[in-house]
Amino acid sequence: MTRQPILAGNWKMHLTKRKASALARDVAATQGMATGRECMVFPTFVHLDHVRRNLKGSNVKLGAQNCWPKKEGAFTGEISPYMLRDMGVDVLLIGHSERRHLMSESDALIVEKVKLGLKAKLEVMLCVGETLEEREANLTFEVLARQLKALKVVKPIYFDKISVAYEPVWAIGTGLTAAPETAQKAHQECRRVIGGVLGPEVAGSIRILYGGSVKPDNVSALLSQPDVDGALVGGASLTIEQFGPILQAAPSA
Ligand code: PEP
């Protein structure tokens, strides 16, 4: 089964409106209408519309970093997936480790977000990953299995709308990229667990991205692993000098 790689930039709470728009234009110019790989960017909510306009004419997808799992209502300060869809968003990032750990998002809340995001006709990228303490206590696979259970709510009509980002918390923003073989072991386990939750066909077709200090000089080795289907990139997605080569990287031989 060939899985088209996804290269995604998570811009977190960075950039100004002008810088995000300029970066979107540069990403669009680099990716253009290239086929064989998918590209997506996740700007902060308030930059979504500007970024959308600057991606026009390219096939770069527009992503949002979060949502609140209600269609509408009295939820001051929150944003519905339906509003995001209405705004032209294609993809929703759910369960990023910064949301799990800094904003205390629970597995139960993440399940609701996955469910409503898909219902709102958005693609969903579910982030999973263990902390350093969990890895050292040999709990990595247990944590991944627990977090991947959120996919249980995905109905067959949405099977091609989901992807997973394996992001070990200890590798995010630290410069401590997982060794390609370490990433491969975790990805293989994610795929095995997904097989149990959604069946072998989905396990074979779902894209599982690696995230955690991906840079131009380590992306090829990661992409060369059989179960690594792309990269979710934080810091190195904030300049075209770094993100450009990542978008164009090929798996190493
Ligand atoms: C991320 O935020 O998803 C991420 C992987 O960040 P970084 O690439 O900076 O480690």
Side-chain angles (χ1 to χ4, degrees):
M1 150 80 54
T2 15
R3 295 179 295 265
Q4 196 175 69
I6 300 176
L7 284 312
N10 175 14
W11 296 351
K12 310 194 188 194
M13 200 174 73
H14 288 295
L15 305 170
T16 59
K17 182 176 80 179
R18 199 165 53 85
K19 283 185 180 163
S21 300
L23 182 55
R25 279 196 298 279
D26 288 341
V27 171
T30 307
Q31 171 74 4
M33 293 302 287
T35 52
R37 56 185 50 207
E38 260 187 68
C39 170
M40 42 186 79
V41 292
F42 294 83
T44 186
F45 287 128
V46 292
H47 296 158
L48 280 170
D49 201 43
H50 305 282
V51 169
R52 182 185 60 76
R53 280 188 248 148
N54 284 285
L55 291 176
K56 250 202 182 127
S58 75
N59 61 8
V60 179
K61 289 186 175 173
L62 181 64
Q65 299 172 14
N66 183 31
C67 72
W68 186 249
K70 290 287 175 194
K71 189 169 183 185
E72 60 185 346
F75 302 99
T76 303
E78 293 296 344
I79 299 180
S80 147
Y82 288 83
M83 291 170 173
L84 295 168
R85 181 71 203 144
D86 183 46
M87 192 144 198
V89 166
D90 306 294
V91 198
L92 201 49
L93 197 63
I94 297 292
H96 189 277
S97 82
E98 284 145 21
R99 298 218 56 89
R100 289 180 191 267
H101 298 287
L102 301 177
M103 283 78 175
S104 308
E105 286 199 2
S106 65
D107 288 317
L109 180 65
I110 288 166
V111 167
E112 293 308 309
K113 292 184 179 194
V114 169
K115 213 169 18 178
L116 202 67
L118 290 168
K119 204 167 165 205
K121 303 265 176 291
L122 293 166
E123 291 176 35
V124 167
M125 185 181 291
L126 174 71
C127 301
V128 297
E130 79 289 358
T131 63
L132 184 59
E133 295 71 38
E134 289 163 340
R135 172 160 285 269
E136 286 174 349
N138 250 325
L139 293 172
T140 299
F141 286 4
E142 207 173 294
V143 170
L144 295 179
R146 195 193 72 230
Q147 294 177 340
L148 286 166
K149 264 200 205 139
L151 295 176
K152 264 193 179 155
V153 294
V154 179
K155 296 182 182 156
I157 48 164
Y158 300 128
F159 280 174
D160 61 343
K161 301 286 181 240
I162 49 166
S163 57
V164 165
Y166 167 64
E167 299 203 297
V169 181
W170 47 270
I172 298 181
T174 58
L176 298 171
T177 322
E181 304 71 31
T182 308
Q184 168 57 22
K185 275 189 197 146
H187 282 233
Q188 197 176 10
E189 177 62 10
C190 287
R191 208 175 289 289
R192 193 191 67 75
V193 171
I194 293 167
V197 177
L198 298 176
E201 211 170 301
V202 180
S205 62
I206 193 167
R207 270 88 57 88
I208 306 177
L209 286 69
Y210 167 80
S213 299
V214 172
K215 307 283 178 222
D217 63 357
N218 60 29
V219 64
S220 292
L222 288 158
L223 291 179
S224 67
Q225 297 300 313
D227 287 295
V228 176
D229 309 313
L232 178 56
V233 187
S237 71
L238 293 172
T239 64
I240 200 63
E241 288 69 28
Q242 294 227 299
F243 198 38
I246 291 174
L247 289 176
Q248 294 176 325
S252 49

